[in-house]
Amino acid sequence: MYKIPTPDANAISKPFHNEWINVYPTVLALDKIYFWDGNNRTIFTFERLTNLTGKTIDKIKIEDIVQFVADQNMHKLERLADSIERNGVQVPLIIRDDGKLLDGNRRFFACQLLKIRYRKQKLPKILLEIPVFAIRKK
C-alpha cells in the first residue's frame, strides 16, 4: 500500500470535526485515493447498490459503483464532474496517509466519473494532480 509522505515541515493546522489537527497538503493521482464505504453521505447509496446486486461493496467494480452513484440524482455528480473538468478540484479532499478518503466523497466520485469519460484517452492533469490534505493514520 502507498504511504503518502507527511513531513512535519509541511504541516498546517486546520479544523476537522471541531478539532484542530495537522494536515499535510499535497497532490495525488486519483488512483492513489480509495473511497470510504462508511461515509454517512453515501452509505445509503452503497446499501441500495449492495441490496440490488447481492454483492458486498468490495466485490463491486469501481466503475459500477461510480455509475450507480452518478445515476442517483441527489448526488448531482454529472454537474460536479463538468465543473471539475473545467476548473479542477477546488477544495482539497481529506485523506489518511494511506490514501483512504475521509471527506470529499462527491468530489472523489465526480473525478472517477471523469476518469470513465476519458477511458480511451490520456487522463487530464486534473485527475493526476488532485489537491488533498493528508492526515496521519494513528
Side-chain angles (χ1 to χ4, degrees):
M1 178 171 286
Y2 180 74
K3 181 90 164 156
I4 299 158
T6 56
D8 286 328
N10 292 351
I12 59 174
S13 187
K14 292 276 187 185
F16 186 66
H17 293 277
N18 297 321
E19 184 178 332
W20 286 88
I21 62 168
N22 283 340
V23 297
Y24 305 85
T26 191
V27 294
L28 288 178
L30 183 60
D31 66 352
K32 299 284 187 209
I33 304 168
Y34 307 95
F35 75 93
W36 175 30
D37 62 355
N39 181 289
N40 286 334
R41 293 184 91 185
T42 51
I43 198 165
F44 177 70
T45 301
F46 296 151
E47 285 176 0
R48 288 185 53 224
L49 177 58
T50 59
N51 287 338
L52 286 170
T53 62
K55 297 178 183 177
T56 59
I57 201 76
D58 61 323
K59 301 295 184 204
I60 303 171
K61 293 188 306 186
I62 186 68
E63 294 84 2
D64 295 336
I65 295 170
V66 170
Q67 193 57 60
F68 187 80
V69 173
D71 290 344
Q72 311 307 303
N73 192 42
M74 66 182 166
H75 298 296
K76 302 192 183 322
L77 278 194
E78 291 283 345
R79 208 162 75 199
L80 183 55
D82 291 343
S83 174
I84 290 172
E85 187 172 30
R86 284 189 311 274
N87 306 308
V89 174
Q90 295 297 301
V91 177
L93 304 176
I94 298 176
I95 61 171
R96 290 192 321 207
D97 61 358
D98 63 359
K100 186 173 185 178
L101 182 67
L102 299 176
D103 186 59
N105 264 6
R106 277 189 66 241
R107 284 167 275 151
F108 170 80
F109 282 108
C111 288
Q112 287 287 348
L113 189 58
L114 282 175
K115 182 179 175 183
I116 291 170
R117 287 182 189 171
Y118 282 91
R119 187 179 329 196
K120 305 230 187 257
Q121 304 168 42
K122 182 179 175 186
L123 285 180
K125 185 177 180 178
I126 57 169
L127 297 180
L128 299 174
E129 295 182 358
I130 296 173
V132 299
F133 288 147
I135 297 172
R136 289 181 180 159
K137 181 180 175 184
K138 294 192 180 195

